[in-house]
Amino acid sequence: MNKPNNTADKTRELGRVTKGLTTKTRRLDKDKNQTNMVNIDKGRQTTRLRDGTLDSGRFMAYLTVHSKSSGLSILISARSDALSNTTAIFSSLVELSSRVPPCTVACLKPWGVYLLTLHVFSRVLSLAPPLSFHVLLPCLVNAVSLGKSGALDLLFEIIGPYSKKSTTLLKVALDTLAALLKSKMNARRTVDRGYLPTLLAIYQDWHRNDIRHCHLIIRKSILGCIKNLTAIKLGRKAFVDANGMRILYNTSTECLPVRTLDPLVNASSVIMRKCFPKNRLPLPTIKSVYQHPLPHIPAGGPVAQLYSQPPEVDDVVDESDENETTEIDTENEEDETGHKSQNDDIETDINKLRPKQMQTRPFDELRVYEHFCVEFTEDFKDNDFKSCKAVIFPSSVDSDSHRPIVIPTTLTPVGSPKRRQRLENIQPHKSTESPLELDSISISKTPEGKLAPDLACSLSRLVLDGGSDDGQHEESGEQAVLEVPDTAAVLPLHDPDLYLEMMTYTRSVPAYTEVAYPDYFGHVALHLREPILERVYGVQRTKIFQDIERLIHPIDILDKVVYDLDNQSSPVVENGESLKFNSKFESGNLRKAIQVRKFEYDLILNSDINSNHYHQWFYFEVGNMRPGVRYRFNIINCEKSNSQFNYGMQVLMYSVQEAIHGSPHWVRTGSDICYYKNHFSRSSIAAGGQKGKSYFTMTFTVTFQHKDDVCYFAYHYPYTFSTLKMHLRKLSALRTAQIYYREDELCQTLGGNGCPLLTITAMPESSSNDHISQFRSRPVVFLSARVHPGETNASWVMKGTLEFLMSCSSEAQSLRESYIFKIIPMLNPDGVINGNHRCSLSGEDLNRQWQNPNAELHPTIYHAKSLLQYLRATRRTPLVFCDYHGHSRKKNVFMYGCSIKETVWQTNVNTSSCDLQEDLGYRTLPKLLSQIAPVFSLSSCSFVVERSKEATARVVVWREIGVQRSYTMESTLCGCDQGKYKGLQIGTRELEEMGAQFCLGLLRLRHFTSPIEHHKHNSHLLDVENDLIETRNIPNITSPTTYVLEEDEPAFLEEVDYSAESNDENDPDLEPDLQDNRALPDPNSDSEFSH
């Protein structure tokens, strides 16, 4: 019954298609005929032009009827040495240039060269009206030829002091001059002829007389000419010699109160920053203060290059322009404006993209890793499976360790009744037990008769047994007690006693003996929400002007060194007015502190050990502050071109006074936070051979609340190696009879520290063959974190994962029964301990060594990869591999994976469908996480493989080990712009929550990968494929990496404003407006992909 109806429908549909094709064919024939007529008409007009029988009036009438582009093509084709009637053509050219858009006028440049050969250029100028100069001149001839022809001198005769007459002509002349000065040869001619001081004087005159600001455009045009002149070194020197810094600073300061004058202030800011004399960092060398001897130094490696240079060479001031090109005096100078370099980093070779499982090492060599996988051979015959009693590993921690802990200090005698009464009044918990004296802590003491002026002295510092602050320790002296907050109720995994024990066995290159109070007291996550900071309009411009004041008013600058790791033998003279700094503790990083003004300090971070760069992570102590005073801190040797500090991220502060009074929290703090390029020049050696690079300043302002306080500042929530060891010890004590938990030492690091390897799963139900077989058949999940020391958020996510895995919830038990977890919670212990940001003690980024790791220089990577190779060789290839990271330029949490399809789709490579056959299972886990975790963003995920990332863990494990679900999971350092945490800065609570939710995602993934239940979830796989198709046409913006800061994943592409909040200046030095926070490509980004 349905067949006739179907046939009729198909017949009608065929008729409609046929009719449509007929209509399209007719339309194409009509268009072809019109094109032929136009071509015939063009030929006639061209012939008449050559013969001189077409006057300019008729030619312009022709252009009125037809398109102007047709007229341009006729003019160009009519060019001939035998051409007559040049006057008519000149008139047509002038008239035409004033009517067509500038992008089309560029086609007339061949005519300009032809006119020069006829030596009739002056006739063109006489025929052209003044208003068309700025349109006509760039088309007739290039800027270099105009400069040679005296156009510069002619324009400077027109430009003059303030006048209400001929302002239109003056504006056109200024615009024309600015266009000509984009040529560096013309800029050099102008500077050599002394015109730059003239322009400054003219600008001052207009600024002084234009009281009502009626001629803002002219004033801005004058600044545009000055800006182009200062694009060359000679121009910058002439600007400074002509007192240009002071002139523009004074005029800009007078303009600040008037909001409508912001374009002038912004343009002046760009010029002054460009002309600010470049200086070297105030350091004896940019190499790290600390060095660590290596087993061997590979020839040609970064360490060999670093130490092959003489000490005085590594930081020579480089005043080159960024991306400076050679100045060529040529007649065919091409306009490169708008040219965008293409990113060719995406891998296009299908053979390289397709995973290849290679047995790079003989199995006999891999057999040594059997002892890390004993669960696969254990028979569990000796286990009592009926007992529900918890199995607790032996611990050296005293059971009374959670009693109130006191630290001896030098404030008042312990036996003083007054002191005892004071302590009884401040104790939050009543206890009949005597205070626990910590034998492992020795305390510095003040001389007798002198009271400590602040908490920095009254608390002294925690010093491990065998060391003290001054190298001396008095055997006698009165002591007082200071109670440490008892955080055991809210921090079950923290124990100050245990932390000190773990710290005792931690080995550092500087041989740290001090302990930071936040690491000892512990951190309790805030219940309060911390919103992303909204930046006040103009704050960055204000900070830049304050920096410029240093050059304008040098007499106001103190320039006093108050902390210096390079001169530890020479103690800093204290006058009681300066802040006191310290970073000589685990994970600390602050190299030098310079007091610039009374309440302003420049801070310099230390390079990674055996390196001369990587400055981002900081962690330091500040004391001797005044409450209620606004202190400004400037970290002046940052390297990245952008930061989330420009988008609402704040620094973290820990107050010891607050901790003592029951609030042991790291809190977001700071106002007037900005991140911008400064005048300190980066050595081309430190910049990987790139010249003209500058450092960046991260500035923030803090008002301290307490007198006699000690505060700590950090880039992100610190998580030390000793903290990890403490947490692992406490976690092992949580093991129950249902949990299989084993901790091994994967290897020893270069610094002599052990790298923990954890194995976590569920115990088999019994020792029966069926239960043991089910136990051994569980798929493996391999997790790692903290290969980059400065990405502390990765450790907090890992902490959440570990706590979930060791919990007693039904979900945790199901997860343990589903997988065997192999976890390396800290791949780079040495870097973490010594305060590095990115490298290990080898001076190399360990996440670039996975392709060919060296057993001596990269032991953790070498043995981690070998363990993965062993698992693959024994047919236990992990189902999931995930490396936890942190990202400094993006918000939310997201993943990067590997896909042949999605990589090829980002290129123009033509491939057959058979070459792109790929299981879409790699997208399942990210999609599940986006449904579970409010901080996870699926839209931020990327699955593109790049050539520069071929040696990273994610790509190597995917390509060589054959793990399809190989990921890097990136966690923001800032906050979220989606979900229930939208507009909030991220904290340790949210990071740990993400770690737990990752476990829930794995639990749900098990349902999709189980052979029994796989057929039930075909609809989900179709959803994943639909998502993939929908995102195919969305460009994945990537950018080339640099030698210096090769990162792990694609760059964050938010706009950044380094000088002001106006978008008026379309200039590479004046970055886009922060108010328009769109995602645009950043050509200077540096990452896999910029953390």
Side-chain angles (χ1 to χ4, degrees), residues 666-691:
W666 280 102
V667 296
R668 300 279 185 172
T669 191
S671 60
D672 297 349
I673 301 177
C674 9
Y675 188 95
Y676 55 89
K677 188 185 300 183
N678 61 32
H679 61 278
F680 290 104
S681 177
R682 289 177 63 190
S683 165
S684 60
I685 297 175
Q690 300 178 70
K691 294 185 177 181

PDB file of all heavy atoms in Angstrom, residues 666-691:
ATOM      1  N   TRP A 666      44.963  30.356  53.842  1.00  0.00           N
ATOM      2  CA  TRP A 666      45.499  31.113  52.717  1.00  0.00           C
ATOM      3  C   TRP A 666      44.316  31.873  52.105  1.00  0.00           C
ATOM      4  O   TRP A 666      43.302  31.261  51.762  1.00  0.00           O
ATOM      5  CB  TRP A 666      46.109  30.200  51.662  1.00  0.00           C
ATOM      6  CG  TRP A 666      47.489  29.704  51.977  1.00  0.00           C
ATOM      7  CD1 TRP A 666      47.832  28.479  52.447  1.00  0.00           C
ATOM      8  CD2 TRP A 666      48.717  30.430  51.814  1.00  0.00           C
ATOM      9  NE1 TRP A 666      49.191  28.389  52.606  1.00  0.00           N
ATOM     10  CE2 TRP A 666      49.765  29.574  52.221  1.00  0.00           C
ATOM     11  CE3 TRP A 666      49.027  31.712  51.373  1.00  0.00           C
ATOM     12  CZ2 TRP A 666      51.096  29.959  52.196  1.00  0.00           C
ATOM     13  CZ3 TRP A 666      50.357  32.094  51.350  1.00  0.00           C
ATOM     14  CH2 TRP A 666      51.372  31.239  51.755  1.00  0.00           C
ATOM     15  N   VAL A 667      44.427  33.174  51.986  1.00  0.00           N
ATOM     16  CA  VAL A 667      43.324  33.982  51.457  1.00  0.00           C
ATOM     17  C   VAL A 667      43.813  34.784  50.248  1.00  0.00           C
ATOM     18  O   VAL A 667      44.981  35.173  50.164  1.00  0.00           O
ATOM     19  CB  VAL A 667      42.766  34.946  52.532  1.00  0.00           C
ATOM     20  CG1 VAL A 667      42.160  34.174  53.684  1.00  0.00           C
ATOM     21  CG2 VAL A 667      43.842  35.904  53.030  1.00  0.00           C
ATOM     22  N   ARG A 668      42.900  35.006  49.313  1.00  0.00           N
ATOM     23  CA  ARG A 668      43.197  35.859  48.162  1.00  0.00           C
ATOM     24  C   ARG A 668      43.246  37.301  48.641  1.00  0.00           C
ATOM     25  O   ARG A 668      42.363  37.761  49.375  1.00  0.00           O
ATOM     26  CB  ARG A 668      42.123  35.700  47.101  1.00  0.00           C
ATOM     27  CG  ARG A 668      41.967  34.285  46.559  1.00  0.00           C
ATOM     28  CD  ARG A 668      42.994  33.966  45.502  1.00  0.00           C
ATOM     29  NE  ARG A 668      42.760  32.656  44.900  1.00  0.00           N
ATOM     30  CZ  ARG A 668      43.430  32.200  43.851  1.00  0.00           C
ATOM     31  NH1 ARG A 668      44.367  32.949  43.290  1.00  0.00           N
ATOM     32  NH2 ARG A 668      43.169  31.007  43.353  1.00  0.00           N
ATOM     33  N   THR A 669      44.256  38.008  48.206  1.00  0.00           N
ATOM     34  CA  THR A 669      44.416  39.374  48.673  1.00  0.00           C
ATOM     35  C   THR A 669      45.073  40.219  47.594  1.00  0.00           C
ATOM     36  O   THR A 669      45.537  39.714  46.583  1.00  0.00           O
ATOM     37  CB  THR A 669      45.262  39.417  49.956  1.00  0.00           C
ATOM     38  OG1 THR A 669      45.203  40.722  50.536  1.00  0.00           O
ATOM     39  CG2 THR A 669      46.717  39.084  49.659  1.00  0.00           C
ATOM     40  N   GLY A 670      45.115  41.525  47.842  1.00  0.00           N
ATOM     41  CA  GLY A 670      45.781  42.445  46.929  1.00  0.00           C
ATOM     42  C   GLY A 670      44.797  43.251  46.114  1.00  0.00           C
ATOM     43  O   GLY A 670      43.751  42.752  45.686  1.00  0.00           O
ATOM     44  N   SER A 671      45.130  44.500  45.900  1.00  0.00           N
ATOM     45  CA  SER A 671      44.350  45.387  45.037  1.00  0.00           C
ATOM     46  C   SER A 671      45.290  46.016  44.024  1.00  0.00           C
ATOM     47  O   SER A 671      46.512  45.856  44.112  1.00  0.00           O
ATOM     48  CB  SER A 671      43.658  46.474  45.877  1.00  0.00           C
ATOM     49  OG  SER A 671      44.623  47.248  46.585  1.00  0.00           O
ATOM     50  N   ASP A 672      44.715  46.727  43.071  1.00  0.00           N
ATOM     51  CA  ASP A 672      45.508  47.378  42.015  1.00  0.00           C
ATOM     52  C   ASP A 672      46.485  46.384  41.381  1.00  0.00           C
ATOM     53  O   ASP A 672      47.662  46.684  41.165  1.00  0.00           O
ATOM     54  CB  ASP A 672      46.280  48.580  42.581  1.00  0.00           C
ATOM     55  CG  ASP A 672      45.365  49.669  43.100  1.00  0.00           C
ATOM     56  OD1 ASP A 672      44.157  49.589  42.833  1.00  0.00           O
ATOM     57  OD2 ASP A 672      45.852  50.579  43.789  1.00  0.00           O
ATOM     58  N   ILE A 673      45.974  45.207  41.075  1.00  0.00           N
ATOM     59  CA  ILE A 673      46.820  44.146  40.511  1.00  0.00           C
ATOM     60  C   ILE A 673      46.870  44.293  38.997  1.00  0.00           C
ATOM     61  O   ILE A 673      45.844  44.390  38.342  1.00  0.00           O
ATOM     62  CB  ILE A 673      46.279  42.760  40.885  1.00  0.00           C
ATOM     63  CG1 ILE A 673      46.239  42.616  42.408  1.00  0.00           C
ATOM     64  CG2 ILE A 673      47.132  41.660  40.279  1.00  0.00           C
ATOM     65  CD1 ILE A 673      45.638  41.306  42.877  1.00  0.00           C
ATOM     66  N   CYS A 674      48.045  44.341  38.442  1.00  0.00           N
ATOM     67  CA  CYS A 674      48.220  44.359  36.989  1.00  0.00           C
ATOM     68  C   CYS A 674      49.513  43.670  36.588  1.00  0.00           C
ATOM     69  O   CYS A 674      50.390  43.428  37.406  1.00  0.00           O
ATOM     70  CB  CYS A 674      48.201  45.762  36.404  1.00  0.00           C
ATOM     71  SG  CYS A 674      48.213  47.113  37.509  1.00  0.00           S
ATOM     72  N   TYR A 675      49.571  43.387  35.301  1.00  0.00           N
ATOM     73  CA  TYR A 675      50.693  42.640  34.727  1.00  0.00           C
ATOM     74  C   TYR A 675      51.025  43.288  33.391  1.00  0.00           C
ATOM     75  O   TYR A 675      50.185  43.338  32.499  1.00  0.00           O
ATOM     76  CB  TYR A 675      50.268  41.181  34.537  1.00  0.00           C
ATOM     77  CG  TYR A 675      51.366  40.224  34.136  1.00  0.00           C
ATOM     78  CD1 TYR A 675      52.041  39.474  35.084  1.00  0.00           C
ATOM     79  CD2 TYR A 675      51.703  40.039  32.796  1.00  0.00           C
ATOM     80  CE1 TYR A 675      53.025  38.567  34.710  1.00  0.00           C
ATOM     81  CE2 TYR A 675      52.685  39.139  32.422  1.00  0.00           C
ATOM     82  CZ  TYR A 675      53.343  38.405  33.381  1.00  0.00           C
ATOM     83  OH  TYR A 675      54.320  37.508  33.014  1.00  0.00           O
ATOM     84  N   TYR A 676      52.245  43.821  33.256  1.00  0.00           N
ATOM     85  CA  TYR A 676      52.578  44.590  32.058  1.00  0.00           C
ATOM     86  C   TYR A 676      54.076  44.520  31.783  1.00  0.00           C
ATOM     87  O   TYR A 676      54.894  44.182  32.644  1.00  0.00           O
ATOM     88  CB  TYR A 676      52.152  46.050  32.211  1.00  0.00           C
ATOM     89  CG  TYR A 676      52.715  46.738  33.452  1.00  0.00           C
ATOM     90  CD1 TYR A 676      53.938  47.396  33.423  1.00  0.00           C
ATOM     91  CD2 TYR A 676      52.012  46.731  34.653  1.00  0.00           C
ATOM     92  CE1 TYR A 676      54.456  48.015  34.533  1.00  0.00           C
ATOM     93  CE2 TYR A 676      52.521  47.346  35.786  1.00  0.00           C
ATOM     94  CZ  TYR A 676      53.745  47.990  35.725  1.00  0.00           C
ATOM     95  OH  TYR A 676      54.258  48.602  36.850  1.00  0.00           O
ATOM     96  N   LYS A 677      54.417  44.859  30.555  1.00  0.00           N
ATOM     97  CA  LYS A 677      55.817  44.847  30.134  1.00  0.00           C
ATOM     98  C   LYS A 677      56.575  45.998  30.802  1.00  0.00           C
ATOM     99  O   LYS A 677      56.079  47.108  30.886  1.00  0.00           O
ATOM    100  CB  LYS A 677      55.896  44.972  28.618  1.00  0.00           C
ATOM    101  CG  LYS A 677      57.296  44.782  28.042  1.00  0.00           C
ATOM    102  CD  LYS A 677      57.310  45.054  26.542  1.00  0.00           C
ATOM    103  CE  LYS A 677      56.374  44.125  25.806  1.00  0.00           C
ATOM    104  NZ  LYS A 677      56.438  44.349  24.341  1.00  0.00           N
ATOM    105  N   ASN A 678      57.800  45.709  31.252  1.00  0.00           N
ATOM    106  CA  ASN A 678      58.599  46.753  31.897  1.00  0.00           C
ATOM    107  C   ASN A 678      59.837  47.079  31.076  1.00  0.00           C
ATOM    108  O   ASN A 678      59.970  46.655  29.926  1.00  0.00           O
ATOM    109  CB  ASN A 678      58.962  46.342  33.334  1.00  0.00           C
ATOM    110  CG  ASN A 678      59.795  45.065  33.391  1.00  0.00           C
ATOM    111  OD1 ASN A 678      60.586  44.764  32.497  1.00  0.00           O
ATOM    112  ND2 ASN A 678      59.612  44.288  34.444  1.00  0.00           N
ATOM    113  N   HIS A 679      60.750  47.841  31.645  1.00  0.00           N
ATOM    114  CA  HIS A 679      61.921  48.342  30.919  1.00  0.00           C
ATOM    115  C   HIS A 679      63.172  47.517  31.202  1.00  0.00           C
ATOM    116  O   HIS A 679      64.276  47.924  30.808  1.00  0.00           O
ATOM    117  CB  HIS A 679      62.182  49.800  31.291  1.00  0.00           C
ATOM    118  CG  HIS A 679      62.465  49.999  32.746  1.00  0.00           C
ATOM    119  ND1 HIS A 679      61.465  50.087  33.691  1.00  0.00           N
ATOM    120  CD2 HIS A 679      63.625  50.132  33.426  1.00  0.00           C
ATOM    121  CE1 HIS A 679      62.005  50.269  34.888  1.00  0.00           C
ATOM    122  NE2 HIS A 679      63.310  50.292  34.749  1.00  0.00           N
ATOM    123  N   PHE A 680      63.034  46.375  31.869  1.00  0.00           N
ATOM    124  CA  PHE A 680      64.199  45.529  32.117  1.00  0.00           C
ATOM    125  C   PHE A 680      64.375  44.574  30.941  1.00  0.00           C
ATOM    126  O   PHE A 680      63.462  43.816  30.588  1.00  0.00           O
ATOM    127  CB  PHE A 680      64.038  44.752  33.416  1.00  0.00           C
ATOM    128  CG  PHE A 680      64.121  45.613  34.653  1.00  0.00           C
ATOM    129  CD1 PHE A 680      62.972  45.951  35.352  1.00  0.00           C
ATOM    130  CD2 PHE A 680      65.338  46.111  35.081  1.00  0.00           C
ATOM    131  CE1 PHE A 680      63.032  46.750  36.472  1.00  0.00           C
ATOM    132  CE2 PHE A 680      65.417  46.922  36.201  1.00  0.00           C
ATOM    133  CZ  PHE A 680      64.260  47.247  36.898  1.00  0.00           C
ATOM    134  N   SER A 681      65.542  44.627  30.348  1.00  0.00           N
ATOM    135  CA  SER A 681      65.803  43.872  29.127  1.00  0.00           C
ATOM    136  C   SER A 681      66.184  42.444  29.449  1.00  0.00           C
ATOM    137  O   SER A 681      66.959  42.170  30.372  1.00  0.00           O
ATOM    138  CB  SER A 681      66.934  44.542  28.345  1.00  0.00           C
ATOM    139  OG  SER A 681      67.266  43.801  27.198  1.00  0.00           O
ATOM    140  N   ARG A 682      65.633  41.533  28.663  1.00  0.00           N
ATOM    141  CA  ARG A 682      66.006  40.130  28.787  1.00  0.00           C
ATOM    142  C   ARG A 682      67.154  39.828  27.847  1.00  0.00           C
ATOM    143  O   ARG A 682      67.134  40.220  26.679  1.00  0.00           O
ATOM    144  CB  ARG A 682      64.817  39.234  28.459  1.00  0.00           C
ATOM    145  CG  ARG A 682      63.721  39.241  29.485  1.00  0.00           C
ATOM    146  CD  ARG A 682      62.564  38.382  29.048  1.00  0.00           C
ATOM    147  NE  ARG A 682      62.944  36.988  28.907  1.00  0.00           N
ATOM    148  CZ  ARG A 682      62.176  36.061  28.354  1.00  0.00           C
ATOM    149  NH1 ARG A 682      60.991  36.391  27.869  1.00  0.00           N
ATOM    150  NH2 ARG A 682      62.588  34.817  28.273  1.00  0.00           N
ATOM    151  N   SER A 683      68.120  39.128  28.349  1.00  0.00           N
ATOM    152  CA  SER A 683      69.235  38.710  27.516  1.00  0.00           C
ATOM    153  C   SER A 683      68.737  37.762  26.442  1.00  0.00           C
ATOM    154  O   SER A 683      67.857  36.945  26.662  1.00  0.00           O
ATOM    155  CB  SER A 683      70.300  38.025  28.379  1.00  0.00           C
ATOM    156  OG  SER A 683      71.216  37.312  27.577  1.00  0.00           O
ATOM    157  N   SER A 684      69.319  37.896  25.251  1.00  0.00           N
ATOM    158  CA  SER A 684      68.943  36.980  24.172  1.00  0.00           C
ATOM    159  C   SER A 684      69.333  35.551  24.523  1.00  0.00           C
ATOM    160  O   SER A 684      68.734  34.600  24.019  1.00  0.00           O
ATOM    161  CB  SER A 684      69.621  37.410  22.865  1.00  0.00           C
ATOM    162  OG  SER A 684      71.039  37.391  23.009  1.00  0.00           O
ATOM    163  N   ILE A 685      70.312  35.381  25.399  1.00  0.00           N
ATOM    164  CA  ILE A 685      70.706  34.038  25.830  1.00  0.00           C
ATOM    165  C   ILE A 685      69.580  33.415  26.652  1.00  0.00           C
ATOM    166  O   ILE A 685      69.210  32.255  26.475  1.00  0.00           O
ATOM    167  CB  ILE A 685      72.016  34.094  26.645  1.00  0.00           C
ATOM    168  CG1 ILE A 685      73.157  34.602  25.761  1.00  0.00           C
ATOM    169  CG2 ILE A 685      72.344  32.730  27.235  1.00  0.00           C
ATOM    170  CD1 ILE A 685      74.454  34.810  26.499  1.00  0.00           C
ATOM    171  N   ALA A 686      68.999  34.224  27.550  1.00  0.00           N
ATOM    172  CA  ALA A 686      67.895  33.723  28.366  1.00  0.00           C
ATOM    173  C   ALA A 686      66.614  33.599  27.559  1.00  0.00           C
ATOM    174  O   ALA A 686      65.703  32.866  27.944  1.00  0.00           O
ATOM    175  CB  ALA A 686      67.665  34.645  29.563  1.00  0.00           C
ATOM    176  N   ALA A 687      66.531  34.319  26.451  1.00  0.00           N
ATOM    177  CA  ALA A 687      65.323  34.304  25.623  1.00  0.00           C
ATOM    178  C   ALA A 687      65.460  33.367  24.436  1.00  0.00           C
ATOM    179  O   ALA A 687      64.740  33.499  23.452  1.00  0.00           O
ATOM    180  CB  ALA A 687      65.009  35.715  25.134  1.00  0.00           C
ATOM    181  N   GLY A 688      66.398  32.438  24.508  1.00  0.00           N
ATOM    182  CA  GLY A 688      66.528  31.454  23.441  1.00  0.00           C
ATOM    183  C   GLY A 688      66.983  32.034  22.128  1.00  0.00           C
ATOM    184  O   GLY A 688      66.600  31.546  21.064  1.00  0.00           O
ATOM    185  N   GLY A 689      67.780  33.115  22.160  1.00  0.00           N
ATOM    186  CA  GLY A 689      68.288  33.729  20.942  1.00  0.00           C
ATOM    187  C   GLY A 689      67.417  34.848  20.415  1.00  0.00           C
ATOM    188  O   GLY A 689      67.811  35.554  19.485  1.00  0.00           O
ATOM    189  N   GLN A 690      66.236  35.047  20.971  1.00  0.00           N
ATOM    190  CA  GLN A 690      65.361  36.125  20.526  1.00  0.00           C
ATOM    191  C   GLN A 690      65.834  37.444  21.110  1.00  0.00           C
ATOM    192  O   GLN A 690      66.084  37.553  22.304  1.00  0.00           O
ATOM    193  CB  GLN A 690      63.916  35.856  20.966  1.00  0.00           C
ATOM    194  CG  GLN A 690      63.350  34.567  20.420  1.00  0.00           C
ATOM    195  CD  GLN A 690      61.943  34.331  20.911  1.00  0.00           C
ATOM    196  OE1 GLN A 690      61.010  35.024  20.531  1.00  0.00           O
ATOM    197  NE2 GLN A 690      61.782  33.343  21.776  1.00  0.00           N
ATOM    198  N   LYS A 691      65.937  38.445  20.258  1.00  0.00           N
ATOM    199  CA  LYS A 691      66.429  39.743  20.685  1.00  0.00           C
ATOM    200  C   LYS A 691      65.268  40.698  20.965  1.00  0.00           C
ATOM    201  O   LYS A 691      64.182  40.551  20.435  1.00  0.00           O
ATOM    202  CB  LYS A 691      67.346  40.344  19.624  1.00  0.00           C
ATOM    203  CG  LYS A 691      68.650  39.582  19.421  1.00  0.00           C
ATOM    204  CD  LYS A 691      69.562  40.302  18.441  1.00  0.00           C
ATOM    205  CE  LYS A 691      70.895  39.580  18.299  1.00  0.00           C
ATOM    206  NZ  LYS A 691      71.806  40.298  17.366  1.00  0.00           N
TER     207      LYS A 691
END
